């Protein structure tokens, strides 16, 4: 079967150094995303295309919607609750605060309202990263010895979690118990180790397929339940980092991208690298719950 192909269009010319962590806040009808290295939180109202951002005091990789209306900022040294109306911050807990080597990376809320989140070395130091689950306010370590943990998402039936350690090129599937905790060892779901791009952020759609960013390849691929590519979104920039479904009916796919590490020549060729892109695929996303802290 031939894979469907779409072209992404520029949505917000934000030119983040490292755009990441897009999250749809259904109650606010806002899309949030982060510039990790630029230490900014961005948001977009898809209904009006209005965009704004705020400076942060640490590198933050994700702003996850909390069920009380606030955001949880996943930072390099702490988890912080952010009131978007008052723009006030309330510390929740430290997050590898005693490890100056690492920063936060990928994160996504599971079907139980718990947040899976990861860390990595600031210079991608081998094995410096870890994978955690924030469950009812308690931070539990799930896995250590990872390098660039990414692609966190969950099957529609809540029986599997997916993630990748980007340098390995493999997307892993991990069985979950009835409370959302991993069971046994993860298994390889899709192998991109011989591919031109590296697996980065991912999101699940309403049909049980995964949309996976391929860093360096300038594309997001759609994987079926067997891990086979059945769709492809082409971008005019090389480093897509993470997709998310947002807007009315979760019918638009937004994609964060990055400028990090690009040469001056490459930036001249792709000046909108680091910006937010979107595409209408005709396929709706899978609704994600808000984070529950208690």
């Amino acid at each position: 079967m031939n894979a469907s192909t779409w072209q992404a269009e520029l949505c917000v010319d934000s030119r983040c150094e490292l755009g990441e962590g897009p999250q749809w806040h259904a109650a606010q009808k806002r899309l949030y995303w982060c510039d990790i290295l630029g230490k900014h939180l961005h948001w977009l109202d898809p209904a009006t295309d209005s965009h704004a951002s705020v400076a942060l005091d640490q590198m933050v990789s994700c702003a996850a919607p909390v069920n009380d209306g606030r955001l949880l900022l996943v930072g390099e040294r702490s988890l912080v609750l952010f009131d978007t109306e008052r723009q006030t911050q309330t510390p929740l807990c430290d997050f590898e605060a005693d490890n100056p080597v690492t920063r936060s990376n990928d994160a996504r809320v599971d079907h139980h309202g718990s947040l899976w989140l990861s860390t990595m070395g600031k210079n991608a130091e081998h094995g410096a990263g870890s994978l955690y689950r924030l469950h009812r306010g308690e931070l539990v370590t799930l896995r250590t010895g990872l390098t660039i943990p990414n692609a966190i998402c969950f099957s529609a039936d809540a029986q599997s979690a997916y993630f990748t350690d980007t340098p390995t090129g493999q997307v892993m599937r991990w069985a979950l118990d009835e409370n959302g905790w991993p069971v046994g060892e993860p298994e390889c779901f899709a192998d991109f180790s011989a591919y031109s791009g590296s697996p980065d952020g991912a999101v699940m759609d309403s049909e049980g397929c995964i949309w996976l960013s391929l860093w360096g390849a300038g594309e997001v691929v759609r994987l079926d339940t067997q891990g086979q590519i059945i769709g492809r979104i082409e971008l005019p920039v090389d480093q897509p980092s993470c997709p998310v479904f947002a807007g009315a009916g979760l019918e638009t796919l937004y994609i964060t991208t990055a400028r990090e590490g690009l040469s001056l020549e490459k930036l001249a060729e792709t000046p909108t690298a680091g910006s937010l892109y979107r595409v209408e695929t005709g396929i709706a996303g899978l609704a994600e719950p808000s984070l529950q802290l208690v």
Side-chain angles (χ1 to χ4, degrees):
M1 182 178 69
N2 292 329
S4 302
T5 303
W6 299 271
Q7 302 291 327
E9 64 176 14
L10 181 65
C11 178
V12 178
D13 192 2
S14 48
R15 306 195 185 193
C16 296
E17 187 67 16
L18 178 53
E20 257 290 8
Q23 294 278 317
W24 174 239
H25 197 309
Q28 294 184 8
K29 296 181 171 58
R30 274 184 176 180
L31 172 67
Y32 286 93
W33 73 100
C34 302
D35 182 352
I36 299 178
L37 300 181
K39 297 182 181 179
H40 268 75
L41 175 65
H42 292 259
W43 60 88
L44 171 74
D45 178 347
T48 63
D49 276 341
S50 59
H51 161 249
S53 67
V54 62
L56 303 171
D57 62 1
Q58 63 172 327
M59 286 189 281
V60 170
S61 60
C62 180
V66 183
N67 60 357
D68 63 8
R70 292 181 292 178
L71 297 171
L72 182 73
L73 303 182
V74 181
E76 62 180 297
R77 58 182 179 271
S78 62
L79 305 181
V80 177
L81 289 163
F82 181 61
D83 186 313
T84 58
E85 290 187 7
R86 299 176 179 84
Q87 295 204 3
T88 55
Q89 298 187 28
T90 305
L92 178 68
C93 65
D94 288 342
F95 189 45
E96 296 197 5
D98 58 347
N99 187 351
V101 172
T102 60
R103 64 163 174 83
S104 63
N105 195 40
D106 198 28
R108 192 169 297 284
V109 178
D110 67 17
H111 295 288
H112 299 267
S114 302
L115 184 71
W116 288 48
L117 59 169
S118 69
T119 59
M120 61 173 284
K122 292 174 182 173
N123 295 305
E125 289 87 348
H126 180 75
S130 298
L131 183 62
Y132 298 85
R133 189 186 189 205
L134 180 67
H135 180 69
R136 304 303 182 262
E138 180 183 1
L139 194 62
V140 178
T141 304
L142 300 179
R143 203 165 188 86
T144 60
L146 303 171
T147 300
I148 309 178
N150 265 314
I152 298 170
C153 60
F154 307 94
S155 62
D157 61 9
Q159 293 185 8
S160 301
Y162 298 86
F163 73 96
T164 185
D165 190 359
T166 293
T168 69
Q170 294 185 337
V171 178
M172 309 300 290
R173 179 169 53 198
W174 209 352
L176 302 176
D177 67 16
E178 65 275 10
N179 296 310
W181 294 103
V183 178
E185 285 296 303
E187 61 183 15
C188 183
F189 169 72
D191 191 344
F192 290 89
S193 57
Y195 207 78
S196 59
S198 301
D200 203 312
V203 71
M204 187 73 62
D205 69 25
S206 59
E207 298 177 5
C209 297
I210 294 174
W211 297 79
L212 175 71
S213 295
L214 291 176
W215 179 279
E219 62 183 13
V220 173
V221 292
R222 187 185 189 216
L223 306 178
D224 66 13
T225 56
Q226 304 303 312
Q228 300 301 307
I229 295 176
I230 58 171
R232 180 176 281 106
I233 298 171
E234 298 175 346
L235 292 94
V237 294
D238 288 351
Q239 296 179 162
S241 53
C242 192
V244 71
F245 289 95
L250 300 177
E251 293 177 346
T252 303
L253 189 72
Y254 292 85
I255 305 163
T256 52
T257 69
R259 304 169 68 80
E260 178 189 13
L262 296 180
S263 66
L264 292 176
E265 291 79 10
K266 192 62 175 178
L267 287 172
E269 294 173 10
T270 57
T272 58
S275 296
L276 183 72
Y277 285 81
R278 68 183 167 203
V279 62
E280 306 292 343
T281 65
I283 301 162
L286 181 68
E288 297 177 352
S290 298
L291 173 61
Q292 298 182 42
L293 293 175
V294 293

